[in-house]
């Protein structure tokens, strides 16, 4: 009988996967397409009221999505329309 190769019981998250937690999804519709960005919920109201001026502090990632929850990125072609 051939011994079984030991398998790791630990599951790990892929290195290139970003977990977004505490997310507020901001949706924008332009040219018939819907785009989404992931933001910090507490910073959105500060940005809209003028207390926060730096958009990079509001956004969790600087990526435009077609669907944030599924991680579907908007194509550059769609964004430029």
């Amino acid at each position: 009988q051939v011994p079984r190769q030991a398998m790791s019981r630990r599951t790990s998250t892929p290195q290139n996967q970003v977990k977004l937690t505490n997310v507020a999804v901001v949706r924008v519709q332009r040219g018939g397409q819907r785009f989404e960005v992931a933001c910090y919920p507490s910073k959105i109201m500060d940005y809209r009221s003028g207390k926060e001026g730096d958009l990079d502090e509001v956004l969790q990632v600087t990526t435009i999505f077609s669907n944030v929850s599924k991680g579907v990125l908007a194509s550059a072609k769609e964004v430029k329309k």
Side-chain angles (χ1 to χ4, degrees):
Q1 190 177 37
V2 178
R4 291 177 127 189
Q5 186 176 10
M7 293 180 62
S8 173
R9 293 192 184 275
R10 190 186 94 171
T11 59
S12 62
T13 303
Q15 295 297 325
N16 61 350
Q17 184 175 7
V18 177
K19 292 283 187 181
L20 298 175
T21 58
N22 196 20
V23 177
V25 177
V26 177
R27 293 179 181 90
V28 177
Q29 191 152 3
R30 296 273 191 243
Q33 294 284 334
R34 188 181 76 187
F35 302 105
E36 300 177 348
V37 291
C39 300
Y40 294 107
S42 60
K43 296 284 189 171
I44 292 173
M45 295 307 290
D46 291 342
Y47 183 77
R48 289 180 177 170
S49 67
K51 292 179 188 175
E52 180 63 60
D54 187 11
L55 191 58
D56 288 332
E57 292 293 321
V58 178
L59 297 175
Q60 285 195 352
V61 290
T62 57
T63 306
I64 301 172
F65 294 90
S66 292
N67 189 327
V68 169
S69 62
K70 292 182 181 179
V72 179
L73 301 177
S75 70
K77 184 178 175 183
E78 291 174 343
V79 172
K80 288 184 180 183
K81 281 186 181 182

